[in-house]
Amino acid sequence: METLKKFGINVKKDGIENAAIYSVACVFSLLERQIIEYLKPYNLSPSQFNALMIIKHVGKDKGLSQIEIGDKLIVSASNMTRLLDKLTKEGFVERYAQQHDRRVNLIKITEKGSKLLDNVWPGYLENIKHLTCDLDKNELLEITTLMVRWFDALDKQ
C-alpha cells in the first residue's frame, strides 16, 4: 500500500473501495501509455488496433456491423463512426451494404489492414508479455477472474 501513499491515497482514511478504483486507474494509465508508445510507429491508436483485431478475427470474411464492433469495443456509436471513418480513409477496412438490409453496413478488413496487423502483432504480443512479466500465471488468472466478475457486476447496474 506504500505505492498508493505516494499518490495521496490512505487506505485507512479513504477506504479500500477508493484504493481499489485508484489502483485500477493507475495500472490502466501505465498500460495504456506503453501500448500507445508501441503502436505509435504504426500510426495506430489502441482503439484502432482493437477494432482491426475484432474485424479481422471475429468478422472474418463475412464482416461485422458497426454496432457489433462498437458493442465489442464498448464504444459509443459516434466514436465508432469516427474510428471507422479513419480506418476506411487509411484503407485498412471497407464498408459494404448488407445484402438483405442495405441500411446496415458491414465492415471488412482489407488486405492492407490484415498485413498491418500481421506486422504489428508479434511485437504487440511481446510487449504484453513484458508488461505482465512480474506476475505469474496464477496471479494473472486471479486478476482476470476478479476483473471479469467486477465488470459483469457493473455491467448489470
Side-chain angles (χ1 to χ4, degrees):
M1 301 293 173
E2 206 53 42
T3 300
L4 290 176
K5 283 184 183 176
K6 79 176 182 183
F7 293 115
I9 302 294
N10 181 330
V11 176
K12 289 182 181 168
K13 181 178 148 247
D14 299 318
I16 194 66
E17 299 84 1
N18 194 34
I21 297 287
Y22 202 84
S23 296
V24 169
C26 288
V27 169
F28 174 79
S29 179
L30 289 173
L31 291 173
E32 184 180 45
R33 212 177 311 155
Q34 292 291 321
I35 291 168
I36 286 169
E37 273 306 304
Y38 173 74
L39 294 173
K40 194 183 289 185
Y42 299 98
N43 200 27
L44 285 174
S45 70
S47 296
Q48 292 168 330
F49 174 74
N50 291 332
L52 287 171
M53 292 294 288
I54 287 168
I55 295 164
K56 179 176 181 171
H57 297 291
V58 177
K60 302 190 189 288
D61 292 333
K62 72 176 183 83
L64 292 171
S65 73
Q66 186 169 319
I67 291 170
E68 290 174 307
I69 299 165
D71 287 347
K72 293 188 183 335
L73 289 175
I74 315 168
V75 172
S76 70
S78 63
N79 286 341
M80 193 73 247
T81 299
R82 281 192 295 275
L83 179 83
L84 292 174
D85 284 347
K86 183 161 188 326
L87 292 174
T88 301
K89 183 180 175 187
E90 295 290 331
F92 298 139
V93 299
E94 292 178 335
R95 289 181 167 107
Y96 297 92
Q98 192 173 33
Q99 271 185 326
H100 303 293
D101 187 351
R102 299 192 62 78
R103 296 169 298 170
V104 176
N105 282 320
L106 292 178
I107 313 300
K108 296 181 183 180
I109 195 159
T110 62
E111 188 176 332
K112 181 180 178 181
S114 188
K115 284 181 178 177
L116 175 67
L117 285 180
D118 291 346
N119 287 333
V120 173
W121 181 251
Y124 180 84
L125 186 57
E126 279 303 309
N127 199 23
I128 294 301
K129 286 180 181 180
H130 174 73
L131 292 171
T132 59
C133 71
D134 288 341
L135 302 170
D136 66 34
K137 299 282 184 207
N138 289 330
E139 290 169 323
L140 290 170
L141 180 60
E142 187 177 348
I143 288 171
T144 302
T145 302
L146 289 171
M147 296 305 283
V148 168
R149 193 172 95 206
W150 194 2
F151 174 84
D152 288 344
L154 290 172
D155 197 38
K156 288 178 187 173
Q157 294 181 3

